[in-house]
Amino acid sequence: MILCAGEALIDMLPRDTADGPGFYPATGGAVFNTAIALGRLGAPVALHTGLSSDLFGQRLAADLVESRVENRAAVSDRPTTLAFVTLTDGHAEYAFYDEGTAGRMLAPWDAPDMTGVDALFIGGISLAVEPCAQAYEALALGHANLPIMIDPNIRPGFIKDTDVFRARLDRLLAVADIVKLSDEDMDWLGMKPDDVLAAGARVLCLTEGAKGVRALTEDAEIHVPAPTVDVIDTVGAGDTFNAGLLAGLHRAGALTKSTPSDTDLSAALELGVAAAAITVSRAGANPPWAREL
Ligand SMILES: OC[C@H]1O[C@H](O)[C@H](O)[C@@H]1O
């Protein structure tokens, strides 16, 4: 069972209405998106997050059930985080409303049930805000014996304290086996691929948008191009890639504390880019796609 830990929220996606520009709600949040995609790919998966009991929280919980994701959230009556999305040529930018929300206020003592968990996926904007960042860090550091994948999904405008965030990432990179970063993440971190591997990662996945993904291990560099599709929006592309990678490795028995073989890694990367390509060709982070894949 892969335990995904991070935010579940509502994306307010832009849509023109007869009265002018408007928004409509869709389930989202980087780690929620990864959990949903893992469930759709048939991987055994659970989600740990701070989930609201409000109507949006109920909708998020219902989507988990529908996609066969076990719900291991800490539920509270605080509101659901909202992310207002603006799109420029399909590229998404986010404005978050998360003050005092159920997701943000998750505390280290809201620890999840770890029964049956054999791998961890941790990430998202939750690593940049208190106190939930402490909860997710404690989870990773307390279970460093498990294979861990981290995607910090860095959104510079959302980082409340750069020094605290950077120090936290350094501690997480030291226990991570697989790290996924985008070009922009690498620029923000001021790191080179070798620095990430030297910090402890066995696999570094560098997503390069329409160009695909480059994966580096100590001994290999594998490039997998992305299928060509018409992009509607990029919301959730990286999250779905993460799910494909994790599902592929898990299925091959290669989601372990060791470096996967080039064959297993290549096949998992292929699944990741294929899933991401379908996501970007639809509106929103979690369009229905499993059968097509
Ligand atoms: O990675 C995409 C996700 O990031 C943002 O946090 C949005 O919630 C969106 O669903």
Side-chain angles (χ1 to χ4, degrees):
M1 160 93 60
I2 302 168
L3 181 71
C4 297
E7 68 271 8
L9 52 78
I10 292 293
D11 287 329
M12 300 299 288
L13 297 170
R15 178 162 61 193
D16 289 336
T17 71
D19 300 325
F23 292 92
Y24 70 100
T27 54
V31 175
F32 176 88
N33 300 338
T34 298
I36 291 285
L38 275 164
R40 289 173 172 182
L41 288 165
V45 56
L47 177 71
H48 177 58
T49 191
L51 193 65
S52 172
S53 57
D54 68 12
L55 287 176
F56 284 142
Q58 291 169 35
R59 164 81 190 280
L60 289 157
D63 276 15
L64 294 178
V65 172
E66 194 181 311
S67 295
R68 296 178 300 281
V69 180
E70 200 179 301
N71 184 346
R72 296 195 183 179
V75 178
S76 79
D77 57 8
R78 294 175 179 278
T80 296
T81 300
L82 302 181
F84 282 81
V85 184
T86 47
L87 295 172
T88 311
D89 297 331
H91 181 76
E93 301 232 351
Y94 305 91
F96 294 98
Y97 290 78
D98 74 325
E99 201 64 48
T101 58
R104 180 161 169 188
M105 299 311 288
L106 185 80
W109 48 86
D110 296 320
D113 173 9
M114 295 298 287
T115 308
V117 173
D118 55 17
L120 276 179
F121 171 72
I122 293 185
I125 57 163
S126 300
L127 298 179
V129 289
E130 310 295 332
C132 62
Q134 297 169 29
Y136 295 123
E137 181 185 346
L139 183 64
L141 269 49
H143 296 89
N145 58 317
L146 295 175
I148 297 178
M149 176 171 178
I150 291 187
D151 175 4
N153 209 354
I154 298 170
R155 307 221 187 277
F158 188 70
I159 298 168
K160 306 280 194 251
D161 185 324
T162 305
D163 292 342
V164 169
F165 177 62
R166 187 58 215 253
R168 173 163 290 121
L169 276 191
D170 286 345
R171 292 190 294 275
L172 288 171
L173 290 177
V175 297
D177 301 287
I178 305 172
V179 177
K180 183 241 151 182
L181 295 165
S182 65
D183 294 344
E184 293 92 352
D185 295 341
M186 292 295 281
D187 289 346
W188 189 90
L189 287 166
M191 289 178 94
K192 298 197 168 31
D194 282 350
D195 301 332
V196 182
L197 295 174
R202 290 162 221 281
V203 180
L204 168 63
C205 294
L206 293 169
T207 50
E208 298 174 326
K211 285 193 277 179
V213 62
R214 208 154 49 94
L216 295 103
T217 66
E218 201 180 29
D219 306 316
E221 177 168 339
I222 300 169
H223 176 252
V224 176
T228 305
V229 291
D230 291 331
V231 176
I232 300 297
D233 74 50
T234 58
V235 182
D239 312 328
T240 317
F241 165 79
N242 291 338
L245 177 76
L246 287 164
L249 291 176
H250 195 271
R251 198 176 291 170
L255 187 54
T256 69
K257 298 286 300 175
S258 304
T259 307
S261 70
D262 291 358
T263 310
D264 288 340
L265 182 55
S266 298
L269 293 166
E270 297 268 359
L271 187 57
V273 296
I278 292 178
T279 297
V280 301
S281 68
R282 310 287 149 77
N286 298 301
W289 48 255
R291 214 175 309 149
E292 191 174 345
L293 185 71

